[in-house]
């Protein structure tokens, strides 16, 4: 099997704009064959419409590097899934050098409770620097397992209170350079702690811009 490759998702993708049925169907078909890692990064010093960027880590093909995917390529299949769900301009761009280093200082393992809601860009709004990673895998009889990790900069609130309102628990853990990416694929001991059963449908971590008023208040606070 080829090593997993990091792709950036572009095309103004917002969860609320996508039809859930074709997206869920496509993600489940993907998970029948391979794991899928979804990554959402928030960088507070960018313009509001570019503060959040979303990535996927998956096994592509040799043609991905030249944008000439082979038949059966997982990246091309995900691209078609996004477009079928309503992301007509959806693109997956190969990230050749990986994610840039950011000033993260805190690390957490996340686990959903029975009332957990699907996470999206709103979950990261309280922190200027944040990276949320979810790793999806398919187990027996269609059961999904999920591992989730969160890394943060020094500014911003304790995530345990904020995420509790969304039905998630957060436990502090050592901050590792590759935290979340390797762990989500089961190649790090952290995966054994983070992985848990998910009773709902799979999802991608997609951006959600900060409300204009919240951005204005943030600028005043600075």
């Amino acid at each position: 099997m080829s090593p997993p490759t990091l792709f950036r998702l572009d095309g103004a993708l917002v969860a609320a704009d996508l039809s859930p049925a074709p997206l869920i169907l496509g993600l489940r078909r993907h998970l029948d064959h391979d794991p899928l890692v979804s990554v959402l990064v928030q960088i507070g010093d960018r313009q509001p419409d570019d503060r959040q960027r979303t990535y996927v880590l998956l096994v592509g093909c040799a043609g991905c590097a030249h944008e000439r995917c082979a038949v059966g390529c997982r990246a091309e299949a995900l691209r078609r899934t996004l477009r079928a769900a309503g992301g007509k301009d959806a693109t997956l761009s190969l990230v050749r050098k990986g994610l840039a280093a950011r000033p993260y200082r805190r690390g957490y393992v996340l686990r959903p409770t029975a009332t957990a809601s699907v996470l999206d860009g709103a979950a990261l709004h309280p922190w200027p620097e944040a990276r949320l990673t979810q790793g999806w895998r398919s187990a027996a009889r269609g059961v999904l397992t999920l591992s989730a990790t969160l890394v943060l900069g020094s500014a911003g609130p304790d995530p345990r209170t904020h995420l509790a309102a969304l039905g998630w628990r957060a436990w502090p853990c050592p901050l590792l350079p590759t935290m979340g990416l390797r762990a989500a694929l089961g190649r790090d001991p952290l995966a054994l702690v983070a992985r848990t059963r998910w009773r709902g449908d799979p999802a991608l971590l997609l951006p959600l811009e900060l409300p204009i008023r919240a951005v204005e208040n943030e600028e005043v606070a600075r």
Side-chain angles (χ1 to χ4, degrees):
M1 179 183 292
S2 302
T5 305
L6 188 67
F7 297 85
R8 177 178 167 180
L9 275 66
D10 290 304
L13 293 172
V14 178
D17 297 337
L18 298 180
S19 300
L23 180 60
I24 291 169
L25 178 61
L27 292 179
R28 284 194 174 274
R29 285 177 174 171
H30 176 98
L31 291 169
D32 285 340
H33 303 279
D34 288 308
L36 175 69
V37 178
S38 181
V39 184
L40 186 63
V41 177
Q42 176 157 290
I43 301 176
D45 57 5
R46 289 191 176 136
Q47 293 298 314
D49 60 353
D50 192 37
R51 290 190 177 194
Q52 292 187 348
R53 294 184 177 182
T54 187
Y55 303 84
V56 291
L57 187 68
L58 49 82
V59 177
C61 70
C64 286
H66 310 288
E67 298 185 356
R68 294 194 297 269
C69 292
V71 175
C73 173
R74 302 292 182 223
E76 178 59 27
L78 180 58
R79 189 180 292 113
R80 290 198 304 268
T81 289
L82 291 168
R83 290 173 178 171
K88 305 298 184 184
D89 300 321
T91 61
L92 271 71
S93 304
L94 188 66
V95 182
R96 299 180 185 275
K97 297 184 179 180
L99 296 177
R102 302 299 306 172
Y104 300 129
R105 297 292 183 269
R106 297 175 285 169
Y108 297 85
V109 168
L110 310 183
R111 291 178 69 91
T113 67
T115 60
S117 57
V118 174
L119 297 177
D120 59 19
L124 298 187
H125 286 173
W127 301 284
E129 292 284 347
R131 187 180 74 215
L132 176 61
T133 304
Q134 290 186 337
W136 298 92
R137 298 175 74 92
S138 181
R141 299 180 181 177
V143 173
L144 298 178
T145 61
L146 169 67
S147 60
T149 56
L150 176 68
V151 292
L152 303 170
S154 56
D158 188 324
R160 287 171 285 192
T161 301
H162 174 68
L163 293 175
L166 302 176
W168 290 77
R169 295 192 179 100
W171 284 272
C173 68
L175 185 60
L176 305 174
T178 58
M179 181 175 171
L181 300 182
R182 291 177 63 211
L185 284 175
R187 299 181 180 182
D188 190 291
L190 180 59
L192 299 177
V193 179
R195 186 167 299 130
T196 187
R197 181 173 180 175
W198 178 258
R199 299 181 182 278
D201 293 311
L204 292 174
L205 292 167
L206 295 175
L208 186 64
E209 293 179 19
L210 275 166
I212 297 299
R213 181 169 296 179
V215 174
E216 292 174 347
N217 290 341
E218 180 182 312
E219 297 299 329
V220 170
R222 289 182 180 178

